[in-house]
Amino acid sequence: MPTPGFPPHTLDEGGPVWISDLAVADPNHALHVVRGLDPAEALRLLGAEPDAVRPLELPAARPDDWTCLPAAALGAEAAEDVLLAGRVGEWTFVYDAAGVTCGDEDIKALSADGRTAATSVVTINLDTSFDYAVDGETVLRTSVDDLDLVQDLPAMPEEVRAAFEAAGTFDAEHLDPGEPDYDLTMRVACALAGLVFTTEDLRRLPLLGASLG
């Protein structure tokens, strides 16, 4: 299990454990990371109304398999689209529990005005994507199914290449021989922004939440 950027207990069957704990069963979700942007502003750029943004304290557990932890914290209906945001160092992250903020316009807005942003998406059908954008323009777009690390890594921007190397590879019993590592792009986004922590570490951060529903 060579994933050099992730300390022990920070991965759950290949995915970042804090994301696994936030998500519903069979998630269809996205993670945005952006450097140099306040969490409240990131939520606004992704469609949250300013008066919908509020401090959020995660409950101990999900009430059921189909209500994500941020929705439980906000008192939102299970089916509502909710966002969770926080900051670690220079990087702000936004977890989108329903994967509704993963259009081209979203990463362009996050990365506008000289900022750097990345978005990882994993759908319920295990379609994956990883986008990296600088100053409002997408520089890299790839997916687990299209990725050839030996061929593609040398051409990647330096910090993205370092994030892929930190994310490494995950060979575990739950993966069938030859099955793609569908958690790779989430690990890459987390490695890029330094989000290599446990759920308890996440709970200690100042968090903001917003419902888009």
Side-chain angles (χ1 to χ4, degrees), residues 109-201:
L110 290 175
S111 65
D113 301 323
R115 295 185 295 270
T116 297
T119 299
S120 169
V121 179
V122 179
T123 76
I124 194 171
N125 296 317
L126 293 180
D127 296 320
T128 67
S129 65
F130 177 82
D131 289 5
Y132 174 82
V134 178
D135 198 19
E137 297 296 330
T138 301
V139 176
L140 172 70
R141 173 168 293 164
T142 190
S143 71
V144 168
D145 291 326
D146 296 334
L147 192 63
D148 182 333
L149 287 174
V150 173
Q151 177 178 316
D152 298 340
L153 271 182
M156 290 182 183
E158 181 177 355
E159 68 175 352
V160 178
R161 183 169 66 251
F164 268 91
E165 291 171 348
T169 57
F170 195 93
D171 299 317
E173 294 179 358
H174 79 286
L175 292 177
D176 294 329
E179 181 183 355
D181 179 2
Y182 290 112
D183 292 308
L184 174 61
T185 61
M186 285 295 184
R187 294 201 309 274
V188 171
C190 288
L192 178 66
L195 310 178
V196 288
F197 44 56
T198 67
T199 307
E200 290 310 307
D201 296 326

Side-chain angles (χ1 to χ4, degrees), residues 85-105:
R87 188 165 188 163
V88 175
E90 294 183 311
W91 289 88
T92 281
F93 62 90
V94 180
Y95 175 71
D96 174 356
V100 297
T101 62
C102 50
D104 287 343
E105 69 280 3

